Amino acid sequence: MKNLLTFLFLLLTAVTVKGAETLLLADATGGAAADVFLQAGITLAREKKMEVSMRRILPGKALEEFDAGKLDGIVIDRRFAGKRYFVPIAAEALSLYVSTVNPGADLTPKQILQILTAPRPTWEFYNRLDMDIQRIAISPAQPSGTLLRRVFGKQDYSKEIFMVKSVSSGFAFTNSASLFFAPFTALPPTDLKMLPVNGVMPTTASVRSGKYPLALHYVLICRKDSAAVKMLIETLGKESFRKEMQRSGFLVMLP
């Protein structure tokens, strides 16, 4: 994914449209859906409709530049939008998986944070299992580590968190102490049990509505009357771009 993003940034810089309008965008998500935006920009440039310029920038700086009229739009976590006009783009979420023999029924975000940060987490405090919670080391590049950091704060959970690359790749988790974070999928594996968070199960509906706590929504802050932004949104709304977002693990929220 990193190599793809680098290639697309270079390609987008190289594709210019003489005399066409330039749409200045900022990615303030750290790359959540940047590749899809870049592909849309390349498409518009090749169709000689518009040039899209996109750069990565921190949320605070991006909002400052947008409010000063230096940017046409920002792809950003919805929590930063405030009262600014925005168009929903995509949502992503994490599911909590445990063995079917684990008696756990629910966790709160506070309990999850305690599990993530405790030096020796145990199920005893949560569901009366006197067992250490199994830790699984993963690569810092795993997307769930990034999403956990966005949900819970700046701490890096990607070095050692409770997650596997794919909960549907043939693992048989019979250890009742195991707890796994994995990107939400509408078709969970049958040999594992998903835990609700604050009483809310991860479903397509609960993620879309914002009721499920371990989810983030990404939006495009923009000018409401911008014809260029409207053209970009219409391009992103095409089936090919929707499928690309879905393949990347996002729930598409585009109108």
Side-chain angles (χ1 to χ4, degrees), residues 148-212:
L148 282 169
R149 186 167 65 250
R150 289 174 182 158
V151 172
F152 288 113
K154 295 180 179 179
Q155 183 169 337
D156 186 1
Y157 301 105
S158 60
K159 299 282 187 179
E160 187 179 30
I161 63 171
F162 317 90
M163 180 263 184
V164 288
K165 290 185 178 179
S166 172
V167 294
S168 59
S169 57
F171 291 95
F173 299 120
T174 56
N175 184 345
S176 59
S178 300
L179 170 67
F180 307 102
F181 288 88
F184 166 73
T185 172
L187 297 172
T190 56
D191 58 336
L192 293 175
K193 180 171 72 173
M194 280 197 298
L195 290 183
V197 181
N198 269 0
V200 181
M201 285 292 291
T203 64
T204 299
S206 66
V207 172
R208 285 182 179 276
S209 67
K211 293 180 180 178
Y212 181 65

Side-chain angles (χ1 to χ4, degrees), residues 22-239:
T22 299
L23 192 64
L24 301 176
L25 301 180
D27 169 28
T29 70
D35 56 331
V36 180
F37 272 80
L38 292 170
Q39 289 178 52
I42 292 169
T43 298
L44 289 168
R46 285 176 172 166
E47 293 174 355
K48 299 184 178 180
K49 293 180 178 178
M50 181 171 55
E51 182 178 351
V52 178
S53 174
M54 193 172 195
R55 61 192 174 97
R56 294 189 182 99
I57 190 171
L58 293 174
K61 182 65 175 176
L63 293 170
E64 181 183 314
E65 291 194 15
F66 178 81
D67 292 339
K70 297 178 181 179
L71 288 171
D72 298 307
I74 312 169
V75 187
I76 198 168
D77 183 335
R78 189 176 67 185
R79 295 176 296 182
F80 289 99
K83 296 182 179 180
R84 299 173 183 86
Y85 175 77
F86 63 79
V87 177
I89 300 297
E92 62 175 338
L94 289 178
S95 299
L96 292 178
Y97 293 94
V98 293
S99 167
T100 54
V101 297
N102 189 303
D106 188 30
L107 287 174
T108 67
K110 182 179 179 180
Q111 288 174 325
I112 294 169
L113 185 58
Q114 289 172 333
I115 291 173
L116 286 169
T117 55
R120 180 180 171 270
T122 174
W123 277 115
E124 186 176 16
F125 178 73
Y126 306 103
N127 56 26
R128 295 183 287 280
L129 272 180
D130 188 14
M131 301 174 70
D132 289 348
I133 295 174
Q134 180 179 335
R135 289 182 184 269
I136 293 183
I138 62 165
S139 161
Q142 290 292 342
S144 294
T146 303
L147 187 53
L148 282 169
R149 186 167 65 250
R150 289 174 182 158
V151 172
F152 288 113
K154 295 180 179 179
Q155 183 169 337
D156 186 1
Y157 301 105
S158 60
K159 299 282 187 179
E160 187 179 30
I161 63 171
F162 317 90
M163 180 263 184
V164 288
K165 290 185 178 179
S166 172
V167 294
S168 59
S169 57
F171 291 95
F173 299 120
T174 56
N175 184 345
S176 59
S178 300
L179 170 67
F180 307 102
F181 288 88
F184 166 73
T185 172
L187 297 172
T190 56
D191 58 336
L192 293 175
K193 180 171 72 173
M194 280 197 298
L195 290 183
V197 181
N198 269 0
V200 181
M201 285 292 291
T203 64
T204 299
S206 66
V207 172
R208 285 182 179 276
S209 67
K211 293 180 180 178
Y212 181 65
L214 298 189
L216 290 178
H217 291 238
Y218 301 105
V219 301
L220 176 66
I221 296 175
C222 54
R223 319 288 175 197
K224 190 173 184 179
D225 56 351
S226 171
V229 169
K230 183 179 179 182
M231 188 186 300
L232 175 64
I233 295 299
E234 288 175 351
T235 301
L236 288 169
K238 292 179 179 178
E239 188 64 23

